[in-house]
PDB file of all heavy atoms in Angstrom:
ATOM      1  N   CYS F  11     108.208 127.553  96.758  1.00  0.00           N
ATOM      2  CA  CYS F  11     107.623 126.236  97.021  1.00  0.00           C
ATOM      3  C   CYS F  11     106.839 125.792  95.781  1.00  0.00           C
ATOM      4  O   CYS F  11     106.021 126.551  95.264  1.00  0.00           O
ATOM      5  CB  CYS F  11     106.694 126.304  98.232  1.00  0.00           C
ATOM      6  SG  CYS F  11     105.747 124.782  98.468  1.00  0.00           S
ATOM      7  N   LYS F  13     104.447 123.911  95.604  1.00  0.00           N
ATOM      8  CA  LYS F  13     103.022 123.740  95.912  1.00  0.00           C
ATOM      9  C   LYS F  13     102.343 125.057  96.238  1.00  0.00           C
ATOM     10  O   LYS F  13     101.265 125.336  95.756  1.00  0.00           O
ATOM     11  CB  LYS F  13     102.859 122.804  97.119  1.00  0.00           C
ATOM     12  CG  LYS F  13     103.079 121.366  96.769  1.00  0.00           C
ATOM     13  CD  LYS F  13     102.837 120.525  97.983  1.00  0.00           C
ATOM     14  CE  LYS F  13     102.302 119.172  97.591  1.00  0.00           C
ATOM     15  NZ  LYS F  13     102.203 118.305  98.766  1.00  0.00           N
ATOM     16  N   CYS F  14     102.963 125.862  97.133  1.00  0.00           N
ATOM     17  CA  CYS F  14     102.306 127.082  97.617  1.00  0.00           C
ATOM     18  C   CYS F  14     102.847 128.347  96.981  1.00  0.00           C
ATOM     19  O   CYS F  14     102.298 129.425  97.250  1.00  0.00           O
ATOM     20  CB  CYS F  14     102.461 127.230  99.123  1.00  0.00           C
ATOM     21  SG  CYS F  14     102.669 125.728 100.025  1.00  0.00           S
ATOM     22  N   ALA F  15     103.953 128.242  96.228  1.00  0.00           N
ATOM     23  CA  ALA F  15     104.595 129.423  95.641  1.00  0.00           C
ATOM     24  C   ALA F  15     105.077 130.431  96.692  1.00  0.00           C
ATOM     25  O   ALA F  15     105.267 131.607  96.406  1.00  0.00           O
ATOM     26  CB  ALA F  15     103.692 130.098  94.613  1.00  0.00           C
ATOM     27  N   VAL F  16     105.273 129.966  97.923  1.00  0.00           N
ATOM     28  CA  VAL F  16     105.838 130.798  98.986  1.00  0.00           C
ATOM     29  C   VAL F  16     107.359 130.630  98.916  1.00  0.00           C
ATOM     30  O   VAL F  16     107.843 129.585  98.497  1.00  0.00           O
ATOM     31  CB  VAL F  16     105.299 130.302 100.354  1.00  0.00           C
ATOM     32  CG1 VAL F  16     106.075 130.883 101.520  1.00  0.00           C
ATOM     33  CG2 VAL F  16     103.826 130.615 100.485  1.00  0.00           C
ATOM     34  N   LEU F  18     110.930 129.601  99.704  1.00  0.00           N
ATOM     35  CA  LEU F  18     111.488 128.543 100.562  1.00  0.00           C
ATOM     36  C   LEU F  18     112.553 129.133 101.471  1.00  0.00           C
ATOM     37  O   LEU F  18     113.311 130.010 101.059  1.00  0.00           O
ATOM     38  CB  LEU F  18     112.093 127.427  99.709  1.00  0.00           C
ATOM     39  CG  LEU F  18     111.126 126.622  98.832  1.00  0.00           C
ATOM     40  CD1 LEU F  18     111.903 125.691  97.898  1.00  0.00           C
ATOM     41  CD2 LEU F  18     110.157 125.822  99.686  1.00  0.00           C
ATOM     42  N   CYS F  31     109.507 124.869 103.114  1.00  0.00           N
ATOM     43  CA  CYS F  31     108.394 125.799 102.892  1.00  0.00           C
ATOM     44  C   CYS F  31     107.767 126.137 104.244  1.00  0.00           C
ATOM     45  O   CYS F  31     107.355 125.236 104.975  1.00  0.00           O
ATOM     46  CB  CYS F  31     107.349 125.172 101.982  1.00  0.00           C
ATOM     47  SG  CYS F  31     105.865 126.196 101.866  1.00  0.00           S
ATOM     48  N   GLN F  33     105.012 127.333 104.837  1.00  0.00           N
ATOM     49  CA  GLN F  33     103.559 127.134 104.832  1.00  0.00           C
ATOM     50  C   GLN F  33     103.166 125.652 104.886  1.00  0.00           C
ATOM     51  O   GLN F  33     102.459 125.230 105.785  1.00  0.00           O
ATOM     52  CB  GLN F  33     102.965 127.793 103.593  1.00  0.00           C
ATOM     53  CG  GLN F  33     101.461 127.932 103.670  1.00  0.00           C
ATOM     54  CD  GLN F  33     100.972 128.930 102.631  1.00  0.00           C
ATOM     55  OE1 GLN F  33     101.394 130.093 102.587  1.00  0.00           O
ATOM     56  NE2 GLN F  33     100.086 128.470 101.769  1.00  0.00           N
ATOM     57  N   CYS F  34     103.652 124.842 103.907  1.00  0.00           N
ATOM     58  CA  CYS F  34     103.217 123.437 103.870  1.00  0.00           C
ATOM     59  C   CYS F  34     104.234 122.509 104.547  1.00  0.00           C
ATOM     60  O   CYS F  34     103.978 121.324 104.717  1.00  0.00           O
ATOM     61  CB  CYS F  34     102.967 122.986 102.434  1.00  0.00           C
ATOM     62  SG  CYS F  34     104.464 122.890 101.427  1.00  0.00           S
ATOM     63  N   HIS F  35     105.400 123.037 104.916  1.00  0.00           N
ATOM     64  CA  HIS F  35     106.462 122.290 105.584  1.00  0.00           C
ATOM     65  C   HIS F  35     107.069 121.184 104.722  1.00  0.00           C
ATOM     66  O   HIS F  35     107.729 120.285 105.231  1.00  0.00           O
ATOM     67  CB  HIS F  35     105.995 121.726 106.934  1.00  0.00           C
ATOM     68  CG  HIS F  35     105.436 122.791 107.836  1.00  0.00           C
ATOM     69  ND1 HIS F  35     106.229 123.782 108.367  1.00  0.00           N
ATOM     70  CD2 HIS F  35     104.168 123.053 108.232  1.00  0.00           C
ATOM     71  CE1 HIS F  35     105.462 124.596 109.081  1.00  0.00           C
ATOM     72  NE2 HIS F  35     104.210 124.180 109.019  1.00  0.00           N
ATOM     73  N   GLY F  36     106.827 121.255 103.433  1.00  0.00           N
ATOM     74  CA  GLY F  36     107.540 120.373 102.511  1.00  0.00           C
ATOM     75  C   GLY F  36     108.995 120.790 102.456  1.00  0.00           C
ATOM     76  O   GLY F  36     109.339 121.901 102.860  1.00  0.00           O
ATOM     77  N   TRP F 106     111.793 116.869  96.077  1.00  0.00           N
ATOM     78  CA  TRP F 106     110.793 117.529  96.901  1.00  0.00           C
ATOM     79  C   TRP F 106     110.113 116.481  97.782  1.00  0.00           C
ATOM     80  O   TRP F 106     109.654 115.455  97.283  1.00  0.00           O
ATOM     81  CB  TRP F 106     109.742 118.238  96.038  1.00  0.00           C
ATOM     82  CG  TRP F 106     108.650 118.827  96.877  1.00  0.00           C
ATOM     83  CD1 TRP F 106     107.407 118.301  97.079  1.00  0.00           C
ATOM     84  CD2 TRP F 106     108.716 120.024  97.650  1.00  0.00           C
ATOM     85  NE1 TRP F 106     106.700 119.102  97.939  1.00  0.00           N
ATOM     86  CE2 TRP F 106     107.476 120.170  98.302  1.00  0.00           C
ATOM     87  CE3 TRP F 106     109.721 120.988  97.861  1.00  0.00           C
ATOM     88  CZ2 TRP F 106     107.207 121.236  99.153  1.00  0.00           C
ATOM     89  CZ3 TRP F 106     109.440 122.047  98.699  1.00  0.00           C
ATOM     90  CH2 TRP F 106     108.197 122.176  99.333  1.00  0.00           C
TER      91      TRP F 106
HETATM   92 ZN1   ZN E  15     104.625 124.981 100.432  1.00  0.00          ZN
END
Side-chain angles (χ1 to χ4, degrees):
C11 171
K13 284 183 149 174
C14 333
V16 166
L18 295 172
C31 172
Q33 194 164 303
C34 68
H35 305 293
W106 175 259

